[in-house]
């Protein structure tokens, strides 16, 4: 081979001029072999195993090889150093993103959801593609195939968002030239199911039926202050002040694959909140605490103390499914229509709005991050509040209507 420095060089067919200086360590070089083909080598530093990492390019013309060498140098100098050897596949990048990036940023339950989406849908569909050659059409065909299998639009949209987050990091690190997920229209998802709150009379019947069962206050809390299921099942006595009549939401409880039941802080800051309790609910919680202390004495050494307000008879946390089954049985016993467990939360909000409580206060009670969430979810109640406001304004300006 004839060594030609990148700064100078010879023309094929001519004799190489004598070198005037020694090439610096790590400096790129270009060579022409005996057949007249040009080769370029770029030093990228060290590999993970400590050996020198050099990248090779070749071409029929020197000018082409110079351009390739400069392009690799530009990426190297900008910090975009790709791993040597075989090209990175989409599946490999998704696994790296899950294990080393997402795992440090999201909650355990969210990470479990990401892993499930990648394993079941993304890897089988597009995992075999080279990461740097992924195209928008690959994603569109994937989404169409998932829809044909019967996957819901919400699940497909969830996969799209996971993929977009992973590709965003890949783009930031120079592993792909663009985030192709931003070039694809995500699936359209229908609005959430309309809230079906219980009426005040139905709520009273449910609480009356609950009085005959242990953990009766669990349902009083649900209907009076609208805690989410995970918040109610993760509530501890340290966050309940019966003397001041307040309850503070600091955590929820969730089941995570491989970890069992775990306590997690709320995702949104607004979900961390302190609520004032009705006096009747304070008394119900006092009664519940006394009953729980008796259960603790009966259980003796079998009692597992997690300081939970609502627990099994041995102190252990209540499973979400068991809680849901208890709610369904209670509705049947009370003789009221069948509604979702989450509709108990909607019941609390609807009753507050119907009693004239300002939507902003209801937003704080529920722990919504935005006012729009409250107004959109309970839009069926707001027209009546608007009518009431108009009547009050009429009374203020023109006096009460004549009998």
């Amino acid at each position: 081979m004839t060594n030609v420095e990148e700064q100078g060089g010879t023309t094929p067919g001519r004799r190489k001029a004598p070198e005037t200086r020694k090439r610096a360590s790590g400096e790129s070089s270009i060579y022409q072999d005996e057949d007249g083909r040009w080769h370029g080598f770029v030093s990228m530093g060290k590999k993970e195993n400590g050996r020198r990492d050099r990248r090779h390019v070749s071409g029929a013309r020197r000018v082409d090889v110079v351009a390739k060498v400069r392009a690799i140098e530009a990426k190297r100098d900008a910090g975009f150093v790709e791993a040597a050897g075989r090209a990175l596949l989409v599946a490999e990048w998704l696994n790296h993103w899950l294990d080393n990036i997402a795992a440090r940023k999201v909650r355990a339950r969210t990470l479990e959801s990401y892993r499930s989406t990648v394993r079941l849908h993304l890897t089988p569909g597009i995992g075999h593609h080279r990461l740097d050659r992924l195209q928008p059409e690959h994603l569109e065909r994937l989404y169409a195939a998932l829809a044909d299998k019967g996957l819901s639009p919400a699940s497909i949209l969830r996969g799209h968002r996971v993929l977009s987050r992973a590709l965003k990091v890949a783009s930031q690190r120079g592993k792909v030239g663009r985030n192709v997920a931003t070039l694809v229209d995500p699936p359209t998802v229908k609005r959430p199911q309309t809230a079906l709150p219980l009426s005040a009379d139905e709520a009273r019947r449910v609480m009356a039926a609950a009085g005959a069962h242990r953990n009766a206050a669990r349902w009083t809390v649900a209907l009076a202050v609208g805690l989410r299921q995970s918040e109610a099942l993760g509530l501890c006595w340290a966050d309940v002040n019966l003397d001041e009549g307040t309850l503070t939401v600091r955590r929820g409880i969730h089941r995570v694959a491989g970890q069992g039941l775990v306590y997690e802080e709320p995702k949104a800051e607004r979900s961390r909140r302190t609520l004032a309790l009705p006096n009747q609910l304070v008394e119900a919680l006092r009664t519940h605490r006394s009953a729980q202390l008796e259960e603790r004495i009966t259980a003796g050494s079998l009692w597992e103390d997690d300081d939970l307000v609502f627990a099994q008879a041995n102190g252990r946390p209540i499973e979400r499914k068991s809680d849901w089954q208890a709610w369904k049985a209670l509705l049947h016993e009370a003789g009221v229509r069948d509604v979702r467990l989450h509709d108990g939360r909607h019941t609390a909000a609807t009753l507050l709005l119907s009693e004239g409580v300002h939507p902003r206060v209801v937003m704080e009670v529920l722990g919504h991050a935005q006012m729009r969430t409250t107004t959109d979810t309970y839009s069926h109640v707001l027209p009546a509040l608007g009518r009431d406001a108009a009547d009050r304004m009429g009374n203020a300006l023109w006096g009460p209507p004549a009998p």
Side-chain angles (χ1 to χ4, degrees):
M1 286 188 177
T2 302
N3 183 13
V4 181
E5 294 301 324
E6 193 175 308
Q7 293 82 357
T10 64
T11 303
R14 292 188 179 181
R15 187 176 180 182
K16 176 197 167 190
E19 294 187 7
T20 58
R21 68 175 179 86
K22 184 178 180 180
R23 184 163 53 89
S25 176
E27 185 178 356
S28 301
S29 60
I30 295 177
Y31 301 87
Q32 185 182 33
D33 62 21
E34 295 177 353
D35 296 329
R37 187 168 183 80
W38 292 89
H39 301 267
F41 292 87
V42 183
S43 177
M44 306 296 286
K46 299 288 186 180
K47 298 179 181 179
E48 291 186 0
N49 59 9
R51 301 181 63 182
R52 187 170 62 166
D53 183 3
R54 299 188 73 200
R55 307 299 168 86
H56 170 253
V57 294
S58 65
R61 300 188 305 165
R62 182 180 187 282
V63 65
D64 297 332
V65 175
V66 169
K68 294 178 182 179
V69 167
R70 296 229 184 261
I72 296 176
E73 288 178 333
K75 294 187 70 172
R76 177 198 63 191
D77 297 341
F80 299 145
V81 180
E82 300 174 353
R86 183 174 54 84
L88 192 65
L89 300 181
V90 171
E92 293 171 327
W93 172 249
L94 287 175
N95 289 331
H96 174 84
W97 175 76
L98 286 170
D99 295 338
N100 301 284
I101 301 171
R104 295 185 290 104
K105 298 182 65 176
V106 302
R107 301 188 303 171
R109 189 165 58 106
T110 303
L111 182 62
E112 179 189 11
S113 173
Y114 286 0
R115 291 190 187 280
S116 176
T117 297
V118 169
R119 183 182 69 255
L120 296 177
H121 308 308
L122 299 183
T123 296
I126 59 174
H128 59 284
H129 289 294
R130 276 182 52 164
L131 181 65
D132 58 350
R133 294 183 181 176
L134 189 64
Q135 299 297 318
E137 292 76 17
H138 295 146
L139 273 59
E140 291 166 342
R141 286 194 287 269
L142 168 66
Y143 299 160
L146 293 176
D148 290 342
K149 290 181 180 179
L151 206 65
S152 69
S155 297
I156 299 175
L157 179 60
R158 188 180 307 115
H160 172 82
R161 287 173 173 168
V162 170
L163 180 61
S164 182
R165 291 187 179 107
L167 292 179
K168 179 181 178 181
V169 178
S171 177
Q172 292 170 339
R173 298 187 178 187
K175 297 186 179 299
V176 294
R178 58 183 179 174
N179 180 353
V180 296
T182 62
L183 306 178
V184 178
D185 291 331
T188 302
V189 178
K190 296 180 180 179
R191 293 186 61 183
Q193 184 177 348
T194 304
L196 298 173
L198 298 173
S199 66
D201 178 65
E202 289 174 322
R204 294 190 196 100
R205 288 159 61 186
V206 169
M207 290 193 299
H213 302 275
R214 64 181 302 277
N215 282 335
R218 157 74 180 98
W219 312 113
T220 310
V221 166
L223 296 171
V225 292
L227 294 189
R228 300 176 177 90
Q229 184 189 36
S230 61
E231 294 171 342
L233 298 184
L235 186 65
C236 60
W237 284 112
D239 292 330
V240 178
N241 190 325
L242 296 179
D243 293 330
E244 295 185 4
T246 61
L247 176 157
T248 301
V249 178
R250 303 182 194 275
R251 67 180 187 176
I253 188 170
H254 306 279
R255 178 167 288 282
V256 178
Q259 301 182 45
L261 291 173
V262 298
Y263 297 103
E264 293 182 331
E265 294 184 354
K267 181 184 298 184
E269 186 61 33
R270 287 270 184 190
S271 295
R272 299 178 179 87
R273 60 201 188 276
T274 297
L275 308 175
L277 304 177
N279 292 331
Q280 298 88 335
L281 178 53
V282 172
E283 293 307 313
L285 286 171
R286 290 187 189 277
T287 301
H288 170 68
R289 188 167 195 176
S290 297
Q292 190 182 77
L293 288 174
E294 293 180 3
E295 288 183 338
R296 181 170 184 165
I297 294 173
T298 302
S301 60
L302 298 178
W303 182 266
E304 297 187 17
D305 189 10
D306 283 345
D307 195 37
L308 293 171
V309 175
F310 305 114
Q312 300 182 44
N314 58 2
R316 298 187 62 185
I318 298 174
E319 292 280 355
R320 292 168 64 94
K321 184 176 181 180
S322 299
D323 188 60
W324 175 84
Q325 291 172 336
W327 168 255
K328 292 296 184 178
L330 193 59
L331 294 177
H332 179 74
E333 183 179 340
V336 303
R337 55 200 167 87
D338 183 55
V339 296
R340 300 167 302 172
L341 176 55
H342 198 69
D343 286 319
R345 175 172 164 84
H346 292 319
T347 299
T350 302
L351 292 177
L352 287 172
L353 290 168
S354 299
E355 291 297 319
V357 177
H358 193 280
R360 179 78 186 186
V361 177
V362 177
M363 167 189 165
E364 299 288 346
V365 170
L366 297 181
H368 285 161
Q370 298 178 343
M371 173 68 80
R372 182 176 179 179
T373 304
T374 309
T375 55
D376 285 355
T377 305
Y378 305 105
S379 57
H380 61 288
V381 184
L382 298 180
L385 299 181
R387 180 71 265 169
D388 180 64
D391 291 342
R392 293 189 184 194
M393 179 59 73
N395 292 342
L397 295 178
W398 291 279

